[in-house]
Amino acid sequence: MGTVTLRRARADDIPRLEAWDTQPHVIAATGDDDVFDWADELSRDAEWTTTLIAEEDGRPVGVVQVIDPREEETHYWGDVEPNLRAIDIWIGEPDDLGRGLGTQMMTLVLDECFDDPTVVAVLIDPLESNVRARAFYRRMGFAEVGPQVFGTDHCMVHRLDRATWLARRAAEEPG
Ligand SMILES: CC(C)(COP(=O)(O)OP(=O)(O)OC[C@H]1O[C@@H](n2cnc3c(N)ncnc32)[C@H](O)[C@@H]1OP(=O)(O)O)[C@@H](O)C(=O)NCCC(=O)NCCS
């Protein structure tokens, strides 16, 4: 596996993002409510939403959206506490699933989220049925908060607190 880096999504990524959206594993993970209009999504990029493209040695492989769930304009998350972040993540091509890219992507984005000293925790809302993603998040240190229905999607909310992440990263430090 190569090295993963994150960069801001650009307008010239839109055809690639649209193509990834047609992949069965992406459709299965995103549920009924989330049909992305990428031009609109990228134009919304502001202080409370960021769309990042993950590249493996310069090749785009996946996407991560980071929002401030309290400030985000559609208020998808409802009335949540301040100083949180919420993440959506997926790999674009089926051949790239299960190669460790997602672990690298999550590590980068969680480091970036907690780099902001005001951020207390990160939320994520896989579909309840997405047992593999749920296992992946638990391995990354997330804890299950409980089920929540968003629109028609039955999700399992997960949360990773700052202290949990920092302890995990400290334990990984060599020496
Ligand atoms: C979840 C996801 C980002 C993880 O990235 P990844 O590069 O595949 O994961 P890694 O290789 O670092 O880690 C492997 C783990 O990812 C998870 N995973 C692998 N393939 C998966 C898939 N098709 N769907 C969901 N999770 C998957 C599993 O937990 C796997 O562990 P396992 O092999 O013991 O079952 C990626 O699999 C993905 O995009 N899945 C489809 C979309 C999705 O479910 N996104 C999450 C929406 S909340």
Side-chain angles (χ1 to χ4, degrees), residues 114-125:
F114 289 118
D115 231 21
D116 179 338
T118 66
V119 171
V120 298
V122 174
L123 303 177
I124 204 149
D125 66 333

Side-chain angles (χ1 to χ4, degrees), residues 4-45:
V4 173
T5 50
L6 299 177
R7 63 162 173 81
R8 288 277 182 140
R10 308 179 298 247
D12 64 350
D13 292 311
I14 291 173
R16 175 178 298 112
L17 289 162
E18 288 173 348
W20 288 347
D21 282 348
T22 67
Q23 293 287 354
H25 69 277
V26 177
I27 293 170
T30 47
D32 301 332
D33 290 345
D34 308 315
V35 177
F36 278 93
D37 174 344
W38 282 108
D40 185 51
E41 286 292 323
L42 298 190
S43 74
R44 291 195 317 137
D45 261 24

Side-chain angles (χ1 to χ4, degrees), residues 29 89-91 97-103 130 132-133 136-137 139:
I89 180 171
W90 60 98
I91 301 278
L97 292 166
R99 297 181 47 232
L101 297 171
T103 301
N130 195 349
R132 294 192 72 186
F136 170 74
Y137 298 136
R139 264 199 306 277

Side-chain angles (χ1 to χ4, degrees), residues 85-147:
R85 295 290 180 268
I87 289 178
D88 272 321
I89 180 171
W90 60 98
I91 301 278
E93 301 293 335
D95 287 353
D96 285 322
L97 292 166
R99 297 181 47 232
L101 297 171
T103 301
Q104 281 199 55
M105 288 165 68
M106 279 299 272
T107 303
L108 290 169
V109 78
L110 290 169
D111 278 348
E112 208 166 284
C113 286
F114 289 118
D115 231 21
D116 179 338
T118 66
V119 171
V120 298
V122 174
L123 303 177
I124 204 149
D125 66 333
L127 293 174
E128 259 187 303
S129 57
N130 195 349
V131 288
R132 294 192 72 186
R134 287 170 57 179
F136 170 74
Y137 298 136
R138 277 201 306 282
R139 264 199 306 277
M140 295 300 304
F142 282 80
E144 283 186 1
V145 174

Side-chain angles (χ1 to χ4, degrees), residues 3-7 10 13 53-62:
T3 302
V4 173
T5 50
L6 299 177
R7 63 162 173 81
R10 308 179 298 247
D13 292 311
I53 296 289
E55 294 184 338
E56 180 191 25
D57 297 334
R59 178 179 68 97
V61 292

